[in-house]
Amino acid sequence: MSSLVHSQPPTVDTPPPFWGRIPRFFLLPLHPSILFRVGLYAALPVICIFTTGIKAGMVVFFGLSLLAWIFYLRLGSRIFSETSRGRLSPEEYDQEKDESLAYIPYAIFALGFIGSLAIGLVENLFGSGPAVAANFIVTLLMPAALMVLIHTRSLTASLSPGPVWELITTIGKPYLLLCLFLFCLSSAQMFIGFKCFEWGISAIAEKWVALQQMLADLEVRSAEDLAIVQGAFAEFDSFLRRQRPRVGFALFGFNAAAMYFTSVAFNMMGYALYQYHQALGLDVDEPRAGRDEPHDPAGEQIAALLAEGQMNKALDIAYEEQRIEPDSVAAQERYHKLLHLAGKTDRLLAHANRFIALLLRQQMAGKALEVLRRCREQSPDFRPEDPATLLALAEAARGLRDPKQALDIMRAFDKKHPRHPLIPEVYSLSARILCEDLRQDAMAERLFAAIIERYPEHPCAVQAKEYQSALARMRASDSETAA
């Protein structure tokens, strides 16, 4: 990911640039399956208009708004994720629910909160001028942080400067164009939101402010004054009831517009990941729209059986298909997903060993790690049984910028596979991850020393000595700088 994408020559497999698909981004939220859910979520906070009193209404409004946005962000993050895989219309989305997206809304809230907190701290410490600069920087980095978050499913990764900066530099100058489009979307959203507020809420706000001002100016000293106050409150309450339909439409319009433009933005950012998937090292599916699909009688039969609730018969057909076609990723993936859906944990884990190895041979590292995640949902300690597959999977995780997962995959390798010839390579990869990715040089040096001591004739020992020398030079340089 160190080279800039725009410097690479286009290939026949390179997707069209995102700026050429702007109209399609605006059309995707109008797809019936998305539009219905956006409308439903946008209508949820409108329930607050049926409460009795402003305070109760505000509590219900904020509570239901939070719930509505949690529901919506799960939908939006799915749009983001599916688009980044090259699935450009809802018809192409994976039918299986992606459980890893369940907590993404909370991570998005946390990301926004941390960005706002950083701006607030800068303003408190250095004043409004630097705060404006901080706001600009956060605004510029936020799309990249969101892209890292959706891709890795990790809030920690999205807050780490390394992955975020690497993504920005890999995309290159088009990233600035993406930010400009997203800024325009945000501006349009704020404009429509302001108009909804002005149309439906501002009259109530003005009436309430006038009422509060009258109460502040009036000193209740007699029954007549008290009657005036009671009359004013009664008039405001009557006015509020008359305004309920208007307020309901305004709240619905505000949320619907916000969710619509957010869907457009998520679709655009997901497509940017898809456009640069080769440089970013991401696994994608080929778009299925606009091309003839091969006839799949087994798939049709399985779908019919699932619709009738006959899971076991569907599994039997899928099992036979993957047995006949051991090198077919589609057949193996269908069988694997059915096992997961049916809760057949033992068979799922046994099959995963073969499926992960096949995906790695087919250069589909992202899918292999997805299979690993799905298996660990059922058995947290699951790892491939074959040592070579396990090492290859760890290398794939590191290649996809997840060094901690790579280390976890290799954990206790030497204990589970004592005297295995791949142990030096596992030690070497672990040490390089600790040194280069996690900056844990002391632990890395211990592993390099172990390689040199136990496997002096192995090629990894030569590399370990080179790393030891480089680390020693770095320590000497740091000592001179400190002195």
Side-chain angles (χ1 to χ4, degrees):
M1 280 181 50
S2 58
S3 60
L4 297 181
V5 174
H6 61 269
S7 66
Q8 297 177 351
T11 69
V12 294
D13 297 326
T14 302
F18 66 84
W19 52 87
R21 287 181 55 90
I22 299 297
R24 297 190 183 185
F25 296 141
F26 284 90
L27 291 175
L28 182 124
L30 301 179
H31 188 278
S33 64
I34 296 176
L35 187 63
F36 172 75
R37 294 172 69 181
V38 166
L40 183 64
Y41 301 150
L44 190 58
V46 178
I47 296 174
C48 72
I49 67 173
F50 299 105
T51 57
T52 57
I54 290 183
K55 291 183 179 180
M58 294 295 287
V59 170
V60 172
F61 169 72
F62 284 114
L64 292 179
S65 294
L66 178 62
L67 187 63
W69 276 93
I70 289 173
F71 289 152
Y72 167 73
L73 287 174
R74 287 177 180 168
L75 170 65
S77 59
R78 187 184 182 203
I79 293 172
F80 201 138
S81 179
E82 295 283 354
T83 306
S84 72
R85 297 292 302 274
R87 300 163 184 165
L88 305 183
S89 69
E91 289 85 359
E92 299 179 23
Y93 290 177
D94 195 341
Q95 296 303 308
E96 183 179 356
K97 185 178 180 180
D98 189 348
E99 297 295 341
S100 66
L101 293 173
Y103 298 99
I104 290 298
Y106 309 106
I108 294 175
F109 290 149
L111 193 61
F113 173 76
I114 292 170
S116 301
L117 182 63
I119 296 169
L121 286 174
V122 171
E123 184 172 15
N124 287 334
L125 293 174
F126 305 106
S128 58
V132 173
N135 184 53
F136 176 77
I137 293 171
V138 169
T139 302
L140 200 62
L141 296 178
M142 190 59 71
L146 278 171
M147 293 160 85
V148 171
L149 172 63
I150 297 296
H151 171 56
T152 64
R153 309 293 201 266
S154 169
L155 177 61
T156 303
S158 68
L159 293 172
S160 301
V164 171
W165 183 246
E166 191 176 6
L167 185 143
I168 292 173
T169 55
T170 300
I171 295 178
K173 292 180 181 178
Y175 179 79
L176 297 177
L177 182 62
L178 176 65
C179 290
L180 178 61
F181 284 138
L182 294 175
F183 174 77
C184 293
L185 288 174
S186 177
S187 299
Q189 175 185 326
M190 288 190 291
F191 175 78
I192 294 176
F194 174 76
K195 288 298 181 182
C196 288
F197 174 84
E198 188 177 47
W199 179 75
I201 311 295
S202 61
I204 297 175
E206 292 172 3
K207 194 84 171 178
W208 176 256
V209 170
L211 177 61
Q212 297 302 309
Q213 185 64 43
M214 186 203 76
L215 293 175
D217 295 339
L218 181 66
E219 295 182 6
V220 180
R221 296 181 177 178
S222 64
E224 183 179 349
D225 294 335
L226 181 60
I228 293 174
V229 171
Q230 292 174 341
F233 272 107
E235 180 185 354
F236 178 78
D237 188 59
S238 175
F239 174 78
L240 192 60
R241 284 196 297 271
R242 292 195 304 272
Q243 293 295 311
R244 281 179 178 177
R246 193 182 187 98
V247 172
F249 282 115
L251 293 178
F252 176 81
F254 177 86
N255 281 295
M259 291 176 183
Y260 172 80
F261 283 107
T262 303
S263 298
V264 175
F266 279 10
N267 190 21
M268 189 181 296
M269 287 187 283
Y271 187 85
L273 283 178
Y274 171 57
Q275 179 185 341
Y276 294 102
H277 70 271
Q278 293 176 335
L280 294 168
L282 308 181
D283 287 329
V284 302
D285 295 339
E286 289 297 328
R288 287 169 282 189
R291 73 175 188 222
D292 295 331
E293 291 286 346
H295 183 55
D296 183 12
E300 293 173 0
Q301 190 175 3
I302 288 171
L305 289 170
L306 289 176
E308 296 171 2
Q310 301 185 49
M311 174 62 76
N312 289 334
K313 289 186 178 180
L315 272 172
D316 290 341
I317 294 173
Y319 169 79
E320 187 64 19
E321 183 190 24
Q322 62 89 32
R323 187 186 66 80
I324 296 172
E325 302 183 59
D327 294 326
S328 168
V329 171
Q332 301 298 329
E333 184 172 24
R334 179 152 53 200
Y335 180 57
H336 177 80
K337 288 183 176 180
L338 281 175
L339 289 174
H340 182 263
L341 188 63
K344 308 287 187 181
T345 302
D346 292 341
R347 293 169 63 183
L348 176 78
L349 301 182
H351 177 259
N353 283 286
R354 304 192 305 274
F355 188 27
I356 288 174
L358 172 64
L359 291 171
L360 292 173
R361 289 198 302 273
Q362 298 287 345
Q363 305 297 314
M364 303 174 74
K367 279 195 173 182
L369 290 169
E370 185 178 335
V371 170
L372 176 67
R373 174 192 60 76
R374 192 176 291 126
C375 291
R376 286 190 165 182
E377 289 176 359
Q378 306 297 324
S379 178
D381 295 328
F382 171 79
R383 289 180 182 80
E385 294 176 357
D386 177 53
T389 300
L390 191 147
L391 177 59
L393 192 61
E395 290 172 340
R398 191 198 184 197
L400 292 175
R401 304 182 308 282
D402 197 345
K404 291 184 178 179
Q405 185 179 22
L407 288 177
D408 181 66
I409 291 171
M410 295 184 290
R411 180 165 48 87
F413 181 96
D414 51 353
K415 295 179 181 178
K416 295 177 182 177
H417 308 284
R419 294 186 294 278
H420 196 280
L422 286 178
I423 289 178
E425 295 183 34
V426 170
Y427 281 0
S428 179
L429 177 59
S430 300
R432 283 182 279 122
I433 290 174
L434 289 168
C435 176
E436 297 173 0
D437 301 324
L438 303 179
R439 301 293 187 267
Q440 298 181 19
D441 295 345
M443 293 181 64
E445 282 196 281
R446 287 198 290 271
L447 283 174
F448 287 134
I451 296 171
I452 296 168
E453 179 183 352
R454 301 179 193 177
Y455 310 97
E457 304 301 324
H458 197 280
C460 288
V462 177
Q463 188 183 53
K465 291 177 182 178
E466 294 174 355
Y467 270 92
Q468 277 191 330
S469 300
L471 290 171
R473 288 194 299 269
M474 290 173 60
R475 281 198 304 273
S477 175
D478 291 342
S479 299
E480 291 176 3
T481 303

